[in-house]
Amino acid sequence: PLWWTTDFILASPVGTPSKEEKWIVGEFNCSCVGLSKCLAAYCQHDTPNACYNDISASDLAEADVYGSIMGAKAMGIMTKSKMGGGTPGVFRVVFLRHGESDWNVKNIFTGWADVDLSENGKLEAVEAGRMLKSAGFKFNIVFTSVLRRAIRTAWTALMESDNFSMPVINTW
C-alpha cells in the first residue's frame, strides 16, 4: 500500500488574496507513510537489507486492510471525478505509481536505477489503464520521470485507457 506525500510551494506574489493564490508541487514522494505496520521493511543503519518479507504476517494482514480501504476510496474518487464536462478551469490530477520492477521482485531498492518492469508490473500497468478507462478519464498531458519503469507504465496505461493523443513529457 502506498501513501503519497507532497510539499506545496506558494507561487503567487506576496499580497495575493488567499482565494486567488496559486500553489505548485515542490516535491512528491511515495512511501508507506502512515502505515506503521510496514516499518519492519524500512531500511535503517542497523537493518540495511530490510524488505517486505520482514513484516510479520499479522502486520501484513492489517496493512492490507488499510491499503484496501485507501484503494476503495481512491477508486470512488476516480469514479466521481470523470474527466471532461467538468467545471471550466478546474483540472483533475491523477498520480499513478509505476508497476512492480524487476528489482522489486528481488527486494533490491531501485532508487534512481533505471530498471524495467517485471512481467507482473506490466500486467499491473494494463490493469491501471483498464481502471482509468472504466472511470472515464481522458488526459490532456502526461508527465513521467525519465526512468523506463515509469515511462512503460504510463504508455501501457494510456493505451489501455484509449488515451492516445496528448503530450507525454519525460523529466526529472
Side-chain angles (χ1 to χ4, degrees), residues 17-43:
S18 61
K19 289 184 179 182
E20 297 173 20
E21 288 179 346
K22 302 294 183 203
W23 293 79
I24 59 172
V25 173
E27 182 179 354
F28 198 75
N29 298 296
C30 66
S31 63
C32 292
V33 174
L35 296 181
S36 61
K37 297 297 181 179
C38 296
L39 289 177
Y42 181 67
C43 294

